[in-house]
Amino acid sequence: MNAKLTLHKEFSIGETDRRVFGSFIEHLGRAVYTGIYEPGHPDADNDGFRNDVAALVKEMDVPLIRYPGGNFVSAYNWEDGVGPLEKRPVRLNLAWAAKESNRVGTNEFARWAKKVNAEVMMAVNLGTRGPEAAGNLVEYCNFNGGTYWSDLRRSHGVADPHGFKLWCLGNEMDGPWQICSRDPGDYGRIAAEAAKIMKRIDPSIELAACGSSFPRMPTFGEWEYTMLDHLYDYADYVSLHLYLANHNADTANFLAASLEMDSFIKTVAGTCDLVGAKKHRKKKMKLSFDEWNVWYHSNEADKKIENWNEAPPLLEDIYTMEDALALGCMLITLLKNADRVKVACLAQLVNVIAPIVAEKGGKVWRQTIFYPFRDASRYGRGTVLRCPVKVDKYDSKEYCDVPFLEAVAVYDQEKNTIALFAVNRNLREDLQLDAEIAGFEELRLVEHRVLCGSDLAACNSANSENIKPVAAPGGSLEKKPGSQRLNIALPPASWNMIRLEAVIPGTAL
Ligand code: AHR
Protein backbone atom coordinates (compact mmCIF):
# COMPACT_ATOMS: atom_id res chain seq x y z
CA MET A 1 0.00 0.00 0.00
CA ASN A 2 1.25 3.50 -0.84
CA ALA A 3 1.03 6.66 1.22
CA LYS A 4 1.98 10.22 0.33
CA LEU A 5 2.59 13.12 2.62
CA THR A 6 3.77 16.68 2.17
CA LEU A 7 5.70 18.87 4.58
CA HIS A 8 6.67 22.50 4.17
CA LYS A 9 8.83 24.39 6.62
CA GLU A 10 6.51 27.40 6.51
CA PHE A 11 3.24 25.53 7.08
CA SER A 12 2.93 24.79 10.75
CA ILE A 13 0.23 24.01 13.30
CA GLY A 14 1.99 25.48 16.33
CA GLU A 15 4.80 24.93 18.79
CA THR A 16 4.79 21.86 20.99
CA ASP A 17 4.56 22.97 24.57
CA ARG A 18 7.06 20.74 26.41
CA ARG A 19 4.32 20.12 29.00
CA VAL A 20 2.42 17.88 26.56
CA PHE A 21 4.95 15.22 27.53
CA GLY A 22 3.72 15.29 31.11
CA SER A 23 2.58 12.35 33.20
CA PHE A 24 0.73 11.60 36.39
CA ILE A 25 1.31 10.06 39.82
CA GLU A 26 -1.74 9.49 41.99
CA HIS A 27 -2.07 8.02 45.47
CA LEU A 28 -3.51 4.91 43.87
CA GLY A 29 -2.36 1.31 44.04
CA ARG A 30 1.43 1.02 43.91
CA ALA A 31 2.15 4.29 42.12
CA VAL A 32 3.62 5.99 45.19
CA TYR A 33 4.23 3.27 47.80
CA THR A 34 6.40 0.49 46.30
CA GLY A 35 6.41 2.52 43.07
CA ILE A 36 8.43 5.71 43.21
CA TYR A 37 8.91 5.36 46.99
CA GLU A 38 10.16 2.25 48.72
CA PRO A 39 12.45 2.81 51.69
CA GLY A 40 14.54 -0.27 52.28
CA HIS A 41 14.74 -1.16 48.57
CA PRO A 42 18.41 -1.69 47.60
CA ASP A 43 18.10 1.19 45.12
CA ALA A 44 16.36 3.65 47.47
CA ASP A 45 17.97 7.02 48.18
CA ASN A 46 18.11 8.66 51.62
CA ASP A 47 14.55 9.96 51.19
CA GLY A 48 13.23 6.48 50.37
CA PHE A 49 12.79 7.14 46.64
CA ARG A 50 13.95 4.48 44.24
CA ASN A 51 16.87 5.58 42.05
CA ASP A 52 16.21 2.84 39.51
CA VAL A 53 12.63 4.10 38.98
CA ALA A 54 13.77 7.72 38.85
CA ALA A 55 16.33 6.79 36.17
CA LEU A 56 13.59 5.46 33.87
CA VAL A 57 11.40 8.50 34.51
CA LYS A 58 14.35 10.65 33.48
CA GLU A 59 14.87 8.49 30.41
CA MET A 60 11.28 9.34 29.37
CA ASP A 61 12.09 13.03 29.81
CA VAL A 62 8.85 13.96 31.57
CA PRO A 63 8.78 17.71 32.26
CA LEU A 64 5.52 17.82 34.24
CA ILE A 65 3.85 15.45 36.71
CA ARG A 66 0.27 15.80 37.90
CA TYR A 67 -0.28 15.03 41.61
CA PRO A 68 -1.86 13.76 43.95
CA GLY A 69 -4.94 12.69 41.91
CA GLY A 70 -7.10 11.78 40.14
CA ASN A 71 -10.07 10.47 42.05
CA PHE A 72 -7.94 10.39 45.21
CA VAL A 73 -7.83 14.17 45.47
CA SER A 74 -11.60 14.55 45.88
CA ALA A 75 -11.46 13.23 49.45
CA TYR A 76 -7.90 14.23 50.34
CA ASN A 77 -6.98 16.48 53.24
CA TRP A 78 -3.68 17.90 52.10
CA GLU A 79 -2.82 18.83 55.70
CA ASP A 80 -2.56 15.07 56.48
CA GLY A 81 0.47 14.81 54.20
CA VAL A 82 2.68 17.54 55.67
CA GLY A 83 4.65 17.91 58.89
CA PRO A 84 6.38 15.35 61.10
CA LEU A 85 5.93 11.81 59.78
CA GLU A 86 5.09 10.37 63.19
CA LYS A 87 2.12 12.73 63.48
CA ARG A 88 0.61 11.96 60.08
CA PRO A 89 -2.67 10.08 60.27
CA VAL A 90 -3.44 6.85 58.47
CA ARG A 91 -6.65 7.53 56.52
CA LEU A 92 -9.04 5.70 54.29
CA ASN A 93 -8.36 6.39 50.63
CA LEU A 94 -12.05 6.59 49.75
CA ALA A 95 -11.57 6.75 46.01
CA TRP A 96 -9.69 3.46 45.80
CA ALA A 97 -10.80 1.63 48.98
CA ALA A 98 -7.25 1.45 50.33
CA LYS A 99 -5.26 2.62 53.35
CA GLU A 100 -3.28 5.85 53.00
CA SER A 101 -0.36 6.23 55.39
CA ASN A 102 0.46 9.79 54.27
CA ARG A 103 4.18 9.02 54.46
CA VAL A 104 4.46 10.83 51.13
CA GLY A 105 2.76 14.21 50.83
CA THR A 106 3.25 17.54 49.10
CA ASN A 107 6.82 18.28 50.25
CA GLU A 108 8.14 14.77 49.65
CA PHE A 109 6.56 14.69 46.21
CA ALA A 110 8.01 18.09 45.32
CA ARG A 111 11.45 16.80 46.32
CA TRP A 112 11.04 13.72 44.14
CA ALA A 113 9.78 15.79 41.17
CA LYS A 114 12.95 17.91 41.37
CA LYS A 115 15.03 14.76 41.37
CA VAL A 116 13.45 13.64 38.07
CA ASN A 117 13.61 17.19 36.59
CA ALA A 118 9.85 17.65 36.49
CA GLU A 119 7.51 20.46 37.42
CA VAL A 120 4.46 19.55 39.56
CA MET A 121 0.90 20.06 38.31
CA MET A 122 -0.90 20.26 41.62
CA ALA A 123 -4.58 19.43 42.20
CA VAL A 124 -6.94 20.81 44.84
CA ASN A 125 -9.86 18.97 46.39
CA LEU A 126 -13.17 20.41 45.23
CA GLY A 127 -15.11 17.32 46.33
CA THR A 128 -15.17 17.04 50.13
CA ARG A 129 -13.32 20.36 50.50
CA GLY A 130 -13.66 23.71 48.80
CA PRO A 131 -12.26 27.19 48.11
CA GLU A 132 -10.79 27.80 51.58
CA ALA A 133 -8.71 24.61 51.73
CA ALA A 134 -7.60 25.22 48.13
CA GLY A 135 -6.41 28.72 49.00
CA ASN A 136 -4.61 27.47 52.10
CA LEU A 137 -2.74 24.94 49.99
CA VAL A 138 -1.63 27.63 47.53
CA GLU A 139 -0.45 29.76 50.47
CA TYR A 140 1.38 26.78 51.97
CA CYS A 141 3.09 25.93 48.69
CA ASN A 142 3.69 29.25 46.98
CA PHE A 143 3.71 32.08 49.53
CA ASN A 144 7.14 33.13 50.69
CA GLY A 145 6.61 33.45 54.46
CA GLY A 146 5.27 35.57 57.30
CA THR A 147 1.75 34.08 57.21
CA TYR A 148 0.20 31.12 58.97
CA TRP A 149 0.34 28.57 56.13
CA SER A 150 3.62 29.71 54.58
CA ASP A 151 5.31 29.70 57.99
CA LEU A 152 3.89 26.24 58.61
CA ARG A 153 5.69 25.08 55.47
CA ARG A 154 8.89 26.72 56.71
CA SER A 155 8.47 25.02 60.05
CA HIS A 156 8.28 21.75 58.09
CA GLY A 157 11.81 22.38 56.84
CA VAL A 158 10.92 23.84 53.42
CA ALA A 159 12.26 27.41 53.46
CA ASP A 160 11.67 28.28 49.81
CA PRO A 161 8.19 28.20 48.34
CA HIS A 162 7.58 25.40 45.85
CA GLY A 163 6.23 27.87 43.30
CA PHE A 164 3.90 25.36 41.62
CA LYS A 165 2.64 27.11 38.51
CA LEU A 166 -0.10 24.81 37.27
CA TRP A 167 -3.12 23.71 39.33
CA CYS A 168 -6.14 21.50 38.68
CA LEU A 169 -9.47 22.75 40.04
CA GLY A 170 -10.57 19.32 41.26
CA ASN A 171 -10.80 16.13 39.24
CA GLU A 172 -13.57 14.65 37.05
CA MET A 173 -16.26 16.44 39.04
CA ASP A 174 -18.90 15.37 36.47
CA GLY A 175 -18.42 11.66 37.27
CA PRO A 176 -20.90 9.92 39.60
CA TRP A 177 -17.95 7.79 40.84
CA GLN A 178 -16.22 10.92 42.11
CA ILE A 179 -16.46 11.54 45.86
CA CYS A 180 -18.85 14.53 46.04
CA SER A 181 -19.40 14.91 42.31
CA ARG A 182 -21.26 18.04 41.25
CA ASP A 183 -23.54 19.32 38.55
CA PRO A 184 -21.90 21.75 36.12
CA GLY A 185 -23.40 24.94 37.58
CA ASP A 186 -22.50 23.92 41.11
CA TYR A 187 -18.96 22.97 40.04
CA GLY A 188 -18.55 26.15 37.99
CA ARG A 189 -19.52 28.36 40.92
CA ILE A 190 -17.37 26.58 43.54
CA ALA A 191 -14.38 26.34 41.19
CA ALA A 192 -14.65 30.04 40.26
CA GLU A 193 -14.61 31.03 43.95
CA ALA A 194 -11.64 28.71 44.60
CA ALA A 195 -9.88 30.19 41.56
CA LYS A 196 -10.41 33.76 42.83
CA ILE A 197 -8.79 32.92 46.16
CA MET A 198 -5.97 30.91 44.61
CA LYS A 199 -5.06 33.60 42.10
CA ARG A 200 -5.38 36.34 44.71
CA ILE A 201 -2.69 34.54 46.73
CA ASP A 202 -0.48 33.84 43.73
CA PRO A 203 -1.47 35.69 40.54
CA SER A 204 1.21 33.86 38.56
CA ILE A 205 -0.51 30.47 38.74
CA GLU A 206 -2.52 28.89 35.92
CA LEU A 207 -5.67 26.85 36.51
CA ALA A 208 -7.22 23.88 34.73
CA ALA A 209 -10.99 23.43 35.06
CA CYS A 210 -12.52 19.94 34.95
CA GLY A 211 -14.00 19.09 31.58
CA SER A 212 -15.96 15.90 30.94
CA SER A 213 -14.38 12.68 32.20
CA PHE A 214 -14.67 11.24 28.70
CA PRO A 215 -16.48 12.19 25.50
CA ARG A 216 -19.20 9.55 25.92
CA MET A 217 -20.38 11.01 29.23
CA PRO A 218 -24.11 11.76 28.93
CA THR A 219 -23.43 15.32 30.07
CA PHE A 220 -20.57 15.94 27.60
CA GLY A 221 -20.90 19.35 25.97
CA GLU A 222 -23.50 20.65 28.35
CA TRP A 223 -20.99 20.20 31.18
CA GLU A 224 -18.32 22.23 29.39
CA TYR A 225 -20.74 24.95 28.31
CA THR A 226 -22.33 25.44 31.72
CA MET A 227 -19.24 25.27 33.91
CA LEU A 228 -17.37 27.59 31.53
CA ASP A 229 -20.12 30.12 31.84
CA HIS A 230 -18.89 30.54 35.44
CA LEU A 231 -15.22 29.82 34.93
CA TYR A 232 -14.25 31.36 31.60
CA ASP A 233 -12.53 34.36 33.17
CA TYR A 234 -10.77 32.36 35.89
CA ALA A 235 -9.57 29.17 34.24
CA ASP A 236 -6.70 29.00 31.78
CA TYR A 237 -7.27 25.43 30.61
CA VAL A 238 -10.13 22.99 30.25
CA SER A 239 -9.09 19.49 31.11
CA LEU A 240 -9.87 16.40 28.98
CA HIS A 241 -9.50 12.71 29.89
CA LEU A 242 -9.66 9.64 27.66
CA TYR A 243 -8.68 5.99 28.05
CA LEU A 244 -8.87 3.57 25.12
CA ALA A 245 -9.75 -0.11 25.45
CA ASN A 246 -9.94 -3.10 23.14
CA HIS A 247 -12.61 -5.14 24.91
CA ASN A 248 -13.74 -6.97 21.76
CA ALA A 249 -10.34 -8.01 20.42
CA ASP A 250 -10.94 -5.81 17.38
CA THR A 251 -7.54 -4.34 16.54
CA ALA A 252 -8.68 -2.30 13.53
CA ASN A 253 -11.33 -0.58 15.64
CA PHE A 254 -8.98 -0.11 18.62
CA LEU A 255 -6.34 1.57 16.48
CA ALA A 256 -9.01 3.82 14.97
CA ALA A 257 -10.13 5.11 18.37
CA SER A 258 -7.60 7.96 18.36
CA LEU A 259 -10.03 9.59 15.90
CA GLU A 260 -12.39 9.96 18.84
CA MET A 261 -9.61 11.71 20.77
CA ASP A 262 -9.17 14.12 17.86
CA SER A 263 -12.86 14.93 17.63
CA PHE A 264 -13.05 15.24 21.45
CA ILE A 265 -10.29 17.89 21.35
CA LYS A 266 -11.94 19.76 18.50
CA THR A 267 -15.38 19.70 20.13
CA VAL A 268 -14.07 20.95 23.48
CA ALA A 269 -12.06 23.69 21.72
CA GLY A 270 -15.22 24.66 19.81
CA THR A 271 -17.29 24.77 23.00
CA CYS A 272 -14.67 26.98 24.68
CA ASP A 273 -14.75 29.31 21.68
CA LEU A 274 -18.55 29.41 21.76
CA VAL A 275 -18.57 30.50 25.40
CA GLY A 276 -15.77 33.00 24.70
CA ALA A 277 -17.75 34.44 21.78
CA LYS A 278 -20.93 34.66 23.86
CA LYS A 279 -19.01 36.58 26.50
CA HIS A 280 -17.21 38.76 23.91
CA ARG A 281 -13.82 37.71 25.23
CA LYS A 282 -10.56 37.83 23.28
CA LYS A 283 -9.05 35.17 25.51
CA LYS A 284 -8.59 31.70 23.91
CA MET A 285 -8.99 28.86 26.37
CA LYS A 286 -6.14 26.32 26.28
CA LEU A 287 -6.64 22.59 26.68
CA SER A 288 -5.01 20.27 29.19
CA PHE A 289 -5.35 16.60 28.21
CA ASP A 290 -4.29 15.60 31.70
CA GLU A 291 -5.25 11.92 31.60
CA TRP A 292 -4.79 9.75 28.52
CA ASN A 293 -3.71 6.17 27.91
CA VAL A 294 -4.94 2.65 27.25
CA TRP A 295 -6.69 1.10 30.26
CA TYR A 296 -8.61 -2.17 30.40
CA HIS A 297 -6.32 -5.18 30.92
CA SER A 298 -6.55 -5.00 34.71
CA ASN A 299 -10.32 -4.43 34.98
CA GLU A 300 -11.21 -8.01 35.96
CA ALA A 301 -8.22 -8.53 38.29
CA ASP A 302 -9.09 -5.30 40.12
CA LYS A 303 -12.52 -6.64 41.06
CA LYS A 304 -10.80 -9.36 43.11
CA ILE A 305 -8.56 -7.06 45.13
CA GLU A 306 -9.38 -6.84 48.82
CA ASN A 307 -10.36 -3.46 50.18
CA TRP A 308 -8.54 -1.33 52.72
CA ASN A 309 -4.99 -2.58 52.30
CA GLU A 310 -1.99 -0.35 51.80
CA ALA A 311 -0.66 -0.07 48.24
CA PRO A 312 -2.88 -2.77 46.67
CA PRO A 313 -1.82 -3.81 43.14
CA LEU A 314 -4.59 -1.88 41.36
CA LEU A 315 -4.78 -0.95 37.66
CA GLU A 316 -1.61 -2.89 36.84
CA ASP A 317 -2.19 -3.24 33.11
CA ILE A 318 0.49 -5.17 31.26
CA TYR A 319 0.71 -3.57 27.84
CA THR A 320 0.99 -5.28 24.49
CA MET A 321 2.53 -4.32 21.17
CA GLU A 322 -0.98 -3.40 20.03
CA ASP A 323 -1.33 -0.98 22.96
CA ALA A 324 1.93 0.71 21.95
CA LEU A 325 0.39 1.38 18.52
CA ALA A 326 -2.81 2.79 20.03
CA LEU A 327 -0.72 4.98 22.32
CA GLY A 328 1.37 6.09 19.34
CA CYS A 329 -1.80 7.19 17.51
CA MET A 330 -2.87 9.13 20.61
CA LEU A 331 0.52 10.85 20.86
CA ILE A 332 0.38 11.88 17.22
CA THR A 333 -3.15 13.20 17.78
CA LEU A 334 -1.98 15.35 20.69
CA LEU A 335 0.84 16.78 18.58
CA LYS A 336 -1.49 17.46 15.65
CA ASN A 337 -3.52 19.63 18.03
CA ALA A 338 -0.51 21.55 19.34
CA ASP A 339 -2.27 24.86 18.69
CA ARG A 340 -4.80 24.10 21.48
CA VAL A 341 -3.40 21.29 23.63
CA LYS A 342 -0.70 22.88 25.77
CA VAL A 343 -0.58 20.35 28.60
CA ALA A 344 -1.02 16.57 28.52
CA CYS A 345 -0.36 13.88 31.10
CA LEU A 346 0.11 10.23 30.25
CA ALA A 347 -1.86 8.47 32.99
CA GLN A 348 -0.06 7.24 34.79
CA LEU A 349 3.71 6.88 35.24
CA VAL A 350 4.68 4.01 37.54
CA ASN A 351 2.83 0.70 38.16
CA VAL A 352 -0.69 2.13 37.73
CA ILE A 353 -1.60 1.94 33.99
CA ALA A 354 1.99 2.89 33.48
CA PRO A 355 4.95 2.72 31.09
CA ILE A 356 7.23 1.83 34.03
CA VAL A 357 6.78 -1.21 36.28
CA ALA A 358 8.59 -1.34 39.63
CA GLU A 359 8.51 -4.72 41.31
CA LYS A 360 8.27 -4.54 45.08
CA GLY A 361 11.79 -5.18 46.36
CA GLY A 362 12.83 -6.08 42.82
CA LYS A 363 13.56 -4.84 39.35
CA VAL A 364 12.14 -2.00 37.31
CA TRP A 365 11.28 -2.43 33.65
CA ARG A 366 9.88 -0.71 30.57
CA GLN A 367 6.47 -1.62 29.16
CA THR A 368 5.81 -1.55 25.39
CA ILE A 369 4.18 1.89 25.65
CA PHE A 370 7.34 3.35 27.16
CA TYR A 371 8.98 3.57 23.75
CA PRO A 372 6.63 5.67 21.59
CA PHE A 373 6.35 8.09 24.51
CA ARG A 374 10.12 8.30 24.92
CA ASP A 375 10.62 8.89 21.16
CA ALA A 376 8.06 11.67 21.03
CA SER A 377 9.20 13.29 24.26
CA ARG A 378 12.84 13.30 23.19
CA TYR A 379 12.39 14.38 19.59
CA GLY A 380 8.89 15.88 19.35
CA ARG A 381 9.67 19.34 20.69
CA GLY A 382 9.64 22.21 18.22
CA THR A 383 7.31 23.39 15.49
CA VAL A 384 4.60 20.92 14.55
CA LEU A 385 4.27 20.94 10.77
CA ARG A 386 1.04 20.43 8.90
CA CYS A 387 1.20 16.91 7.57
CA PRO A 388 -1.44 16.28 4.89
CA VAL A 389 -1.58 12.59 4.06
CA LYS A 390 -2.95 10.78 1.03
CA VAL A 391 -3.58 7.14 1.86
CA ASP A 392 -6.36 4.54 1.67
CA LYS A 393 -8.91 4.54 4.45
CA TYR A 394 -10.97 1.85 6.15
CA ASP A 395 -14.16 1.60 8.15
CA SER A 396 -14.15 -0.21 11.49
CA LYS A 397 -17.01 -1.16 13.78
CA GLU A 398 -17.27 2.32 15.32
CA TYR A 399 -15.24 4.59 13.05
CA CYS A 400 -15.42 5.58 9.38
CA ASP A 401 -12.70 6.81 7.05
CA VAL A 402 -9.78 5.74 9.18
CA PRO A 403 -6.52 6.52 7.36
CA PHE A 404 -4.06 3.62 7.32
CA LEU A 405 -1.31 6.13 8.07
CA GLU A 406 -1.33 8.35 11.17
CA ALA A 407 1.58 10.81 11.03
CA VAL A 408 2.95 14.09 12.26
CA ALA A 409 6.27 15.91 11.85
CA VAL A 410 8.04 18.24 14.25
CA TYR A 411 10.75 20.65 13.15
CA ASP A 412 13.37 21.62 15.71
CA GLN A 413 14.66 24.98 14.48
CA GLU A 414 17.60 25.12 16.86
CA LYS A 415 19.01 21.75 15.89
CA ASN A 416 17.75 22.00 12.31
CA THR A 417 16.21 18.55 12.48
CA ILE A 418 12.84 17.03 11.59
CA ALA A 419 11.26 14.11 13.44
CA LEU A 420 8.48 12.28 11.66
CA PHE A 421 6.31 10.03 13.84
CA ALA A 422 4.10 7.56 12.04
CA VAL A 423 1.86 4.59 12.78
CA ASN A 424 1.03 2.14 10.01
CA ARG A 425 -2.47 0.92 10.89
CA ASN A 426 -2.36 -1.65 8.12
CA LEU A 427 -2.03 -4.96 9.95
CA ARG A 428 -0.80 -6.95 6.95
CA GLU A 429 1.07 -4.73 4.50
CA ASP A 430 4.01 -2.35 4.47
CA LEU A 431 3.16 1.27 3.76
CA GLN A 432 5.48 2.63 1.07
CA LEU A 433 5.76 6.21 2.23
CA ASP A 434 6.57 8.92 -0.28
CA ALA A 435 7.13 12.18 1.59
CA GLU A 436 7.71 15.46 -0.21
CA ILE A 437 9.62 17.85 2.03
CA ALA A 438 9.85 21.46 0.91
CA GLY A 439 11.48 24.65 2.16
CA PHE A 440 14.35 22.95 4.01
CA GLU A 441 18.08 22.91 3.46
CA GLU A 442 19.57 19.71 2.12
CA LEU A 443 18.63 16.94 4.53
CA ARG A 444 20.08 13.59 5.43
CA LEU A 445 18.35 10.64 7.01
CA VAL A 446 19.69 10.26 10.56
CA GLU A 447 17.69 7.24 11.63
CA HIS A 448 14.53 5.26 11.17
CA ARG A 449 13.60 3.35 14.30
CA VAL A 450 10.64 1.09 14.39
CA LEU A 451 8.57 -0.68 17.03
CA CYS A 452 6.74 -3.65 15.54
CA GLY A 453 6.32 -7.38 15.78
CA SER A 454 4.16 -10.07 14.23
CA ASP A 455 2.61 -10.88 17.61
CA LEU A 456 0.45 -7.92 18.59
CA ALA A 457 -0.22 -9.53 21.97
CA ALA A 458 3.48 -9.60 22.89
CA CYS A 459 4.42 -7.85 26.15
CA ASN A 460 7.59 -7.09 28.07
CA SER A 461 8.41 -8.30 31.56
CA ALA A 462 11.13 -7.95 34.18
CA ASN A 463 13.14 -10.65 32.45
CA SER A 464 12.43 -10.17 28.76
CA GLU A 465 12.17 -7.11 26.62
CA ASN A 466 10.38 -8.54 23.61
CA ILE A 467 9.14 -5.22 22.34
CA LYS A 468 11.66 -2.44 21.90
CA PRO A 469 12.57 -0.18 18.99
CA VAL A 470 15.05 -1.44 16.43
CA ALA A 471 16.85 0.27 13.55
CA ALA A 472 14.93 -0.13 10.30
CA PRO A 473 16.75 -0.67 6.99
CA GLY A 474 16.25 3.01 6.12
CA GLY A 475 15.08 4.60 2.89
CA SER A 476 16.16 6.97 0.19
CA LEU A 477 16.20 10.74 0.12
CA GLU A 478 16.15 12.22 -3.34
CA LYS A 479 16.91 15.88 -4.07
CA LYS A 480 14.45 17.66 -6.39
CA PRO A 481 14.32 21.32 -7.37
CA GLY A 482 12.77 23.12 -4.41
CA SER A 483 12.08 19.99 -2.38
CA GLN A 484 13.34 16.60 -1.29
CA ARG A 485 11.61 13.27 -1.51
CA LEU A 486 11.83 10.64 1.17
CA ASN A 487 10.92 7.09 0.25
CA ILE A 488 10.69 4.72 3.14
CA ALA A 489 8.82 1.52 4.05
CA LEU A 490 6.77 1.38 7.24
CA PRO A 491 6.23 -2.23 8.34
CA PRO A 492 2.70 -3.52 9.02
CA ALA A 493 1.31 -2.53 12.44
CA SER A 494 4.29 -0.38 13.39
CA TRP A 495 5.29 2.75 15.27
CA ASN A 496 8.01 4.64 13.41
CA MET A 497 10.33 7.50 14.22
CA ILE A 498 12.20 8.91 11.24
CA ARG A 499 14.74 11.64 11.92
CA LEU A 500 16.26 13.96 9.34
CA GLU A 501 18.82 16.71 9.75
CA ALA A 502 20.23 19.51 7.62
CA VAL A 503 23.50 18.44 6.00
CA ILE A 504 25.09 21.89 5.90
CA PRO A 505 23.23 24.32 8.11
CA GLY A 506 22.46 27.53 6.29
CA THR A 507 22.36 26.19 2.71
CA ALA A 508 18.82 26.81 1.57
CA LEU A 509 17.56 24.76 -1.34
O1 AHR B 1 -6.02 7.36 36.28
C1 AHR B 1 -6.95 6.59 36.96
C2 AHR B 1 -8.24 7.32 37.27
O2 AHR B 1 -8.93 7.56 36.07
C3 AHR B 1 -8.11 8.69 37.87
O3 AHR B 1 -8.00 8.66 39.25
C4 AHR B 1 -9.39 9.36 37.49
O4 AHR B 1 -9.27 10.75 37.36
C5 AHR B 1 -9.79 8.67 36.19
O5 AHR B 1 -11.10 8.25 36.22
Side-chain angles (χ1 to χ4, degrees):
M1 182 177 282
N2 295 316
K4 274 190 158 203
L5 71 78
T6 313
L7 302 177
H8 193 294
K9 193 178 184 176
E10 302 305 330
F11 296 146
S12 66
I13 295 172
E15 295 297 304
T16 32
D17 191 310
R18 59 184 189 87
R19 297 170 306 167
V20 298
F21 302 109
S23 189
F24 178 26
I25 289 279
E26 176 169 1
H27 283 251
L28 190 187
R30 299 195 310 110
V32 176
Y33 308 110
T34 72
I36 61 170
Y37 176 83
E38 192 180 346
H41 186 280
D43 256 313
D45 66 13
N46 292 337
D47 295 320
F49 290 112
R50 280 179 62 166
N51 284 321
D52 54 349
V53 175
L56 288 198
V57 174
K58 284 198 241 176
E59 190 182 319
M60 283 174 67
D61 207 348
V62 181
L64 175 84
I65 304 181
R66 185 167 174 250
Y67 175 85
N71 295 342
F72 170 75
V73 81
S74 297
Y76 179 50
N77 294 331
W78 67 265
E79 301 87 337
D80 293 342
V82 296
L85 277 181
E86 62 287 0
K87 291 204 176 136
R88 295 193 193 173
V90 175
R91 298 273 193 202
L92 298 179
N93 175 341
L94 293 180
W96 300 105
K99 240 184 230 161
E100 171 56 54
S101 69
N102 283 304
R103 278 174 293 152
V104 171
T106 303
N107 296 324
E108 290 79 18
F109 189 77
R111 193 153 50 238
W112 179 76
K114 259 203 194 114
K115 180 179 158 105
V116 297
N117 308 321
E119 174 191 338
V120 177
M121 181 185 200
M122 199 65 180
V124 298
N125 173 355
L126 293 185
T128 58
R129 311 287 297 275
E132 189 185 7
N136 294 346
L137 181 58
V138 175
E139 185 182 324
Y140 181 90
C141 293
N142 285 11
F143 207 77
N144 195 24
T147 64
Y148 179 79
W149 294 107
S150 58
D151 284 346
L152 186 67
R153 182 199 68 240
R154 286 166 161 257
S155 76
H156 293 157
V158 184
D160 293 331
H162 294 303
F164 299 142
K165 287 290 165 242
L166 201 51
W167 294 73
C168 301
L169 293 166
N171 176 70
E172 294 188 349
M173 296 307 300
D174 61 328
W177 58 87
Q178 201 67 216
I179 303 289
C180 298
S181 60
R182 297 178 187 272
D183 69 43
D186 180 24
Y187 169 70
R189 276 185 295 274
I190 289 271
E193 295 310 319
K196 262 189 228 165
I197 297 176
M198 294 164 77
K199 285 195 170 176
R200 182 76 52 94
I201 296 166
D202 183 352
S204 75
I205 61 175
E206 288 194 305
L207 303 175
C210 294
S212 295
S213 298
F214 53 94
R216 297 187 192 189
M217 283 295 286
T219 48
F220 175 48
E222 190 207 329
W223 171 274
E224 278 75 4
Y225 185 82
T226 309
M227 69 86 183
L228 275 174
D229 212 19
H230 299 278
L231 270 167
Y232 200 86
D233 292 335
Y234 301 104
D236 303 279
Y237 302 82
V238 169
S239 118
L240 299 86
H241 292 177
L242 181 65
Y243 294 98
L244 302 186
N246 185 8
H247 290 297
N248 302 316
D250 181 345
T251 304
N253 193 60
F254 181 46
L255 297 187
S258 58
L259 268 58
E260 185 164 352
M261 182 186 211
D262 190 62
S263 90
F264 186 26
I265 293 171
K266 295 197 162 69
T267 312
V268 174
T271 310
C272 293
D273 293 347
L274 172 65
V275 177
K278 191 187 86 162
K279 290 179 172 290
H280 306 284
R281 296 289 188 268
K282 283 199 179 126
K283 165 181 175 176
K284 265 242 158 85
M285 191 65 73
K286 296 173 274 190
L287 304 185
S288 169
F289 217 117
D290 43 43
E291 285 188 35
W292 66 275
N293 201 349
V294 171
W295 172 14
Y296 72 106
H297 296 286
S298 58
N299 292 166
E300 287 309 308
D302 285 349
K303 289 180 191 154
K304 298 183 191 121
I305 288 183
E306 247 181 65
N307 286 348
W308 312 121
N309 287 321
E310 204 185 343
L314 282 168
L315 279 67
E316 298 208 0
D317 277 41
I318 299 298
Y319 290 112
T320 62
M321 175 60 221
E322 181 184 84
D323 298 325
L325 297 176
L327 183 126
C329 291
M330 293 182 96
L331 266 170
I332 291 171
T333 304
L334 289 171
L335 291 174
K336 286 205 299 198
N337 287 286
D339 53 336
R340 282 316 273 261
V341 179
K342 299 295 177 186
V343 172
C345 302
L346 174 68
Q348 297 194 7
L349 186 54
V350 179
N351 289 337
V352 171
I353 41 173
I356 298 171
V357 178
E359 307 208 319
K360 187 176 173 190
K363 292 186 190 171
V364 62
W365 51 276
R366 300 169 188 83
Q367 296 236 45
T368 59
I369 60 169
F370 182 95
Y371 291 108
F373 186 96
R374 186 185 71 179
D375 285 348
S377 177
R378 280 186 176 171
Y379 299 108
R381 303 180 192 203
T383 307
V384 182
L385 301 176
R386 290 190 184 284
C387 198
V389 163
K390 207 170 163 207
V391 70
D392 284 353
K393 295 178 174 171
Y394 67 93
D395 291 342
S396 73
K397 196 166 171 235
E398 292 173 287
Y399 306 97
C400 294
D401 289 334
V402 185
F404 279 101
L405 173 65
E406 193 62 72
V408 72
V410 182
Y411 169 49
D412 181 331
Q413 280 192 37
E414 254 170 54
K415 297 193 182 124
N416 224 346
T417 55
I418 301 173
L420 177 64
F421 304 106
V423 171
N424 177 3
R425 288 194 178 99
N426 192 318
L427 306 179
R428 275 165 291 280
E429 286 179 43
D430 274 5
L431 266 184
Q432 296 298 330
L433 177 65
D434 171 1
E436 181 155 357
I437 308 174
F440 287 91
E441 295 136 11
E442 189 182 344
L443 297 165
R444 80 176 183 91
L445 184 60
V446 180
E447 62 172 348
H448 173 196
R449 292 179 72 76
V450 65
L451 193 74
C452 62
S454 48
D455 180 7
L456 288 183
C459 305
N460 293 341
S461 71
N463 301 317
S464 60
E465 200 164 62
N466 301 313
I467 304 295
K468 63 178 175 204
V470 292
S476 66
L477 198 57
E478 191 192 333
K479 208 168 155 190
K480 316 256 298 171
S483 75
Q484 293 162 83
R485 205 159 209 153
L486 171 72
N487 277 287
I488 211 156
L490 313 180
S494 60
W495 159 265
N496 299 266
M497 179 178 68
I498 298 157
R499 294 202 307 118
L500 305 155
E501 74 178 3
V503 176
I504 313 162
T507 49
L509 266 175

